[in-house]
Amino acid sequence: MSINSRSLKYLLGWLITGTRGGSTRAKILTILKDKPQNANQFATLIGMDYKTIRHHLDVLEKNRLITSVGDRYGVTYFLSQVMEDNYSLFTEISDKIGKK
């Protein structure tokens, strides 16, 4: 299923600026732009509980903003192709959180 840029803009707006945890999800997406990570690496980098990070990763994956490879503790996360193709839209939205 593909997603058009207007739908993606609404989805990102809701997940990043419209819900609790949006800033954490924005950090995750920003980190993934540079390098794939697993949940434990995120927990260490961001300084948050592993289960909390897993929750945010699940939300992002369920909404097709990230993808994963591997199983169990070895699961590594990447930006989805949709996010790769529309990363500038994400930065436009995430910049708004910094101004609040």
Side-chain angles (χ1 to χ4, degrees):
M1 178 177 115
S2 66
I3 185 169
N4 65 45
S5 61
R6 185 175 178 168
S7 296
L8 182 61
K9 185 174 184 174
Y10 288 129
L11 177 63
L12 284 169
W14 177 69
L15 288 173
I16 304 302
T17 64
T19 58
R20 284 184 63 211
S23 62
T24 300
R25 287 189 280 277
K27 285 178 192 172
I28 289 170
L29 292 171
T30 301
I31 291 167
L32 284 180
K33 178 68 174 157
D34 295 327
K35 183 181 175 189
Q37 303 281 327
N38 66 36
N40 191 48
Q41 290 168 318
F42 277 118
T44 301
L45 271 172
I46 298 174
M48 295 185 91
D49 180 70
Y50 175 84
K51 287 184 181 181
T52 302
I53 293 297
R54 289 277 323 130
H55 165 74
H56 291 296
L57 290 168
D58 290 344
V59 168
L60 291 169
E61 191 167 30
K62 181 177 123 190
N63 285 284
R64 299 186 174 129
L65 299 179
I66 64 173
T67 60
S68 61
V69 175
D71 60 353
R72 299 181 45 125
Y73 294 108
V75 174
T76 302
Y77 295 89
F78 302 82
L79 289 181
S80 68
Q81 192 60 54
V82 169
M83 275 303 299
E84 288 280 355
D85 294 345
N86 295 280
Y87 194 79
S88 61
L89 182 60
F90 161 71
T91 56
E92 176 186 318
I93 291 167
S94 64
D95 285 349
K96 291 178 183 175
I97 352 178
K99 294 177 182 168
K100 283 187 177 180

